[in-house]
Amino acid sequence: MERKFSWNGISIERLDALVRLSRFESILAANGNDLVSANLMGRQIRELTEAIDVQLTKKEGRQTALNDKGHELARLASNFFDAVKSFQEDSVGNADRYVIGTGESIISKLLIPNFTKLRELSHGARLVFKNRKSSDIVKGIMNGDLDI
């Protein structure tokens, strides 16, 4: 049985709503307890769910949160947004920059405290830190999304 797939119903706004929700425990929390914005986000995520025919959320009491598939798609969308941003920055002449992929603890405990020294060693190049899992770091380096 072939699954029907259509790009209709998939939008940047809906994917952005999914990414924003992935950073919070619930739709309401992701919208600062604003019911109007929470209702809009809920509708966007329902429409995205219908468009791809994959359940992305789960109910936790009265709250709606992402399930594992929702988190997976949010991670993919976030990577896409990062790649588009990187492409745009590269296209406007930001050639002197290094994108460093590593875990959050290394970023917060090693790289950020030594940022000034790193800037000196990189001769003033722009440094971009990306919090990534080890497997995503290898992929990022291989496909050119990460420099280090």
Side-chain angles (χ1 to χ4, degrees):
M1 175 185 228
E2 186 175 324
R3 182 177 224 167
K4 291 177 78 177
F5 181 80
S6 169
W7 288 104
N8 293 336
I10 298 175
S11 70
I12 297 297
E13 291 79 13
R14 289 176 183 151
L15 291 171
D16 182 58
L18 188 73
V19 171
R20 285 186 294 122
L21 176 55
S22 73
R23 297 182 185 128
F24 292 90
E25 296 295 318
S26 69
I27 289 176
L28 194 57
N31 289 283
N33 292 322
D34 177 356
L35 291 175
V36 174
S37 297
N39 285 335
L40 174 61
M41 178 182 271
R43 181 178 53 79
Q44 289 173 322
I45 296 195
R46 278 189 308 278
E47 290 169 350
L48 183 59
T49 296
E50 291 169 9
I52 63 173
D53 196 27
V54 174
Q55 185 60 39
L56 301 171
T57 59
K58 62 184 175 184
K59 283 291 207 180
E60 293 180 345
R62 295 180 61 201
Q63 300 292 326
T64 300
L66 293 182
N67 62 19
D68 290 341
K69 289 293 183 183
H71 279 289
E72 183 179 352
L73 182 58
R75 183 180 54 80
L76 293 170
S78 180
N79 289 342
F80 168 75
F81 291 145
D82 288 347
V84 170
K85 183 177 179 184
S86 178
F87 170 79
Q88 187 271 332
E89 290 169 351
D90 288 346
S91 296
V92 292
N94 290 331
D96 291 338
R97 75 179 186 120
Y98 297 101
V99 181
I100 302 167
T102 187
E104 182 160 349
S105 61
I106 290 176
I107 292 171
S108 64
K109 294 181 179 164
L110 182 64
L111 297 177
I112 291 176
N114 294 296
F115 185 75
T116 303
K117 185 66 175 170
L118 289 168
R119 286 281 301 213
E120 289 172 17
L121 292 170
S122 66
H123 304 288
R126 187 165 164 239
L127 302 174
V128 178
F129 304 134
K130 302 261 182 162
N131 181 13
R132 296 289 185 259
K133 296 178 188 175
S134 297
S135 60
D136 291 336
I137 292 170
V138 172
K139 291 175 190 171
I141 291 171
M142 292 181 72
N143 68 23
D145 293 335
L146 300 174
D147 297 310
I148 304 171

